[in-house]
Amino acid sequence: MDDITAMLRRSYDEAPYPGRAYAHTHPDYMAVLATLLGLNPPPVARCRVLEIGCAAGSNLIPMALSLPEATFVGIDLSPRQIADGRRIVEDLGLTNVTLLVRDVREVGDELGQFDYIIAHGVYSWVPAPVRDRLMALTKRALAPHGIAYISYNTYPGWHILGALRDLMIYAARGVEDPHERARIALALLDMLAESDSENANAFHSFIAAYAGQFRSVLSRLGSLSHAFLIHDALEVVNEPVSFAQFAAHAAQHGLQYLSETEFPMVLPLGLKPETVDALRSFSRSGIDLEQYMDFLRGRQFRQTLLCHNDVTVRRTLRPERLMGMSVTALMHPETQPLDLAGSEWVVFRNLHGVAFSVSAPITKAALICLAEASPRAVAFEDLVIAAQRRAVAAGASLEDSEPSALARRLGGDLLRAFATATSLVSFHLHPPAVATHPGECPKVTPLTRLEAQHGEEVTNLYHDVISLEPFDRRLVQLLDGRHDRRALEEMMAAAVTAGEVPYAGDAAQATSLAGLAADIERRLNWFAQVALLVE
């Protein structure tokens, strides 16, 4: 083992990365994007998945739990993290996930081929020879129609962040304890963010502004901020590349660029039409165009999908590719009452405030249907029929419309929403079975209960991360499907009375169960809304 590899292993053994689920790495999400781009990816239900750099399996284990007929293999350099992950696998009784201590350079053909390969947080954080072995392994282990996900830091955005990294490393020089290094780095960022003045030169002001932005990002990470600093900005290796360099590296190994997981970022959104035309005139390929957009956006990070170079990619999105998929969306119209019969433009907004304008009665009706079904996914073919019925009942003249024509119009609008923001609409080839209401004895997965015991974040059924308050964490741990409302109220009241969990309401009311029942019911309904409850 060389010195850098030994340092990387020691870094993760001494300060394990508090892993989490990453929705865009889920095989269902990758399969959807591949299908939209004209590929025929392997079926998700029985796929084989390899995660390179899996840490303790926090991303892989939820997938294994939700796809019991699929097979999952994770490899990582850190023995401590693999041991931690194996304990979780054993606690959950999972038999379809294997975690192994492996150096990526030592992996041969013994693991076989995989339909989906994930390498999150690896490429930029290993030396160039290891990056090359990573790409070679991806090529060799990827099934003929498989999809690979690789994330990495990118230029030009990391030019400025690189200057901050240099400052933080200099400030923490000679300090070996990783958490102390992170503390020093945070203090430096705070100082820099407050250092700007009217007499500062342009570079000083620029660095101060970037330090403030970076500090804000770290603040939003909460308890994860130290780990992010240790294993990203302060890691012994952090070598960003441009998108064009990454695409060229993949091509050298017989892999081609498929898409970015943040699909709207592939499109020239937010740029003036004349700017887009000018960029196209400078571009010799789609890779060139995306690289130019990275320059204009100051992009710092990418999550890229790759496939074999002999696969045909069709980059024009077509509504008919939604056939066989299911759809989720939670948007509400800005104005009421909503006229489903007319063709006037109406603005819908999701819970994040992202706006989407529609005029077609079939699409307006479909968005209402999807909001009512949320968080459950609705088969696209069923959605067309339900939306047509609702629009006709509201007075729209769609009763004689061909279902194929309605599907094209609705599909086109849904794809337009997806290209606007992935938070507006989601497509699924293998949607999970979620509960839309709490039911008599609410239930979450065993993994969710385990996650709630140990941290603030849990993984929902769509592989998204949900942050919980202390009261919610305790309540989630009780949702094993065996407790009705009365039992939940009594157990939560006992926990509040004993001071084991904070309660925003009156403690005396909690003791007598008065008022607590309504709070519990509200939280249970929220759990259903964010797809934590299973049927």
Side-chain angles (χ1 to χ4, degrees), residues 44-176:
V44 172
R46 294 178 176 83
C47 65
R48 298 194 78 237
V49 179
L50 170 67
E51 182 166 19
I52 302 167
C54 66
S58 299
N59 185 44
L60 209 59
I61 291 171
M63 298 180 192
L65 190 66
S66 65
L67 297 170
E69 296 183 69
T71 302
F72 298 84
V73 177
I75 63 173
D76 198 272
L77 193 64
S78 167
R80 176 179 174 179
Q81 293 191 123
I82 291 296
D84 291 343
R86 285 174 175 170
R87 282 191 289 271
I88 297 172
V89 170
E90 184 177 355
D91 288 344
L92 295 174
L94 293 173
T95 59
N96 63 335
V97 57
T98 302
L99 303 180
L100 303 169
V101 178
R102 288 287 191 279
D103 185 328
V104 69
R105 295 171 298 181
E106 299 171 355
V107 178
D109 297 329
E110 69 278 5
L111 299 180
Q113 285 197 321
F114 294 87
D115 302 310
Y116 299 93
I117 295 177
I118 303 162
H120 180 71
V122 179
Y123 188 88
S124 288
W125 297 270
V126 293
V130 182
R131 288 201 297 274
D132 200 58
R133 296 295 291 272
L134 169 63
M135 198 68 80
L137 173 60
T138 300
K139 170 63 178 179
R140 187 174 68 249
L142 189 64
H145 295 281
I147 308 298
Y149 164 107
I150 300 180
S151 68
Y152 49 100
N153 286 335
T154 59
Y155 292 127
W158 253 91
H159 282 300
I160 300 301
L161 287 177
L164 286 179
R165 167 179 156 85
D166 291 343
L167 281 167
M168 289 185 286
I169 289 176
Y170 185 75
R173 66 194 185 280
V175 178
E176 293 188 3

Side-chain angles (χ1 to χ4, degrees), residues 28 39 59 69 81 95 184-185 194 220 294 345 365 374 445:
D28 184 60
L39 278 65
N59 185 44
E69 296 183 69
Q81 293 191 123
T95 59
I184 293 170
E194 299 296 327
R220 290 196 294 271
D294 278 10
W345 285 91
S374 180
T445 69

Side-chain angles (χ1 to χ4, degrees), residues 36 40 50 74 81-82 88 104-105 135 154 191 208 229 258 287 298 319 358 360-361 373 393 433 451 453 463 488 516:
L36 291 178
N40 184 27
L50 170 67
Q81 293 191 123
I82 291 296
I88 297 172
V104 69
R105 295 171 298 181
M135 198 68 80
T154 59
M191 181 276 291
L229 273 174
L258 176 62
I287 300 294
V358 297
E451 289 174 328
Q453 291 179 29
H463 208 62
L488 293 175
L516 185 64

Side-chain angles (χ1 to χ4, degrees), residues 403-480:
S404 59
L406 293 176
R408 284 194 299 273
R409 179 56 195 265
L410 174 58
D413 279 342
L414 292 177
L415 288 172
R416 182 167 57 87
F418 185 68
T420 300
T422 52
S423 65
L424 285 173
V425 61
S426 298
F427 303 118
H428 303 275
L429 286 163
H430 189 82
V434 301
T436 57
H437 299 90
E440 183 65 24
C441 296
K443 183 179 180 180
V444 300
T445 69
L447 175 62
T448 299
R449 298 198 301 274
L450 186 63
E451 289 174 328
Q453 291 179 29
H454 299 289
E456 301 171 355
E457 296 183 337
V458 297
T459 308
N460 76 359
L461 298 175
Y462 286 106
H463 208 62
D464 282 316
V465 171
I466 307 297
S467 296
L468 299 180
E469 299 293 333
F471 185 89
D472 294 339
R473 289 178 58 193
R474 174 57 69 91
L475 180 58
V476 158
Q477 293 174 52
L478 303 176
L479 303 184
D480 58 5

Side-chain angles (χ1 to χ4, degrees), residues 24 29 32-33 36-37 259-271 293 297 299 315-318 322 327-328 331 350 354-357 410-427:
H24 289 177
Y29 186 83
V32 163
L33 279 182
L36 291 178
L37 293 170
S259 176
E260 197 67 14
T261 60
E262 299 171 90
F263 192 76
M265 295 298 287
V266 175
L267 307 173
L269 302 175
L271 301 178
M293 289 191 292
R297 290 167 172 163
R299 189 147 188 179
R315 300 196 179 279
T316 301
L317 299 186
R318 298 191 181 280
L322 295 179
V327 189
T328 60
M331 289 183 265
N350 67 5
V354 181
F356 179 63
S357 298
L410 174 58
D413 279 342
L414 292 177
L415 288 172
R416 182 167 57 87
F418 185 68
T420 300
T422 52
S423 65
L424 285 173
V425 61
S426 298
F427 303 118

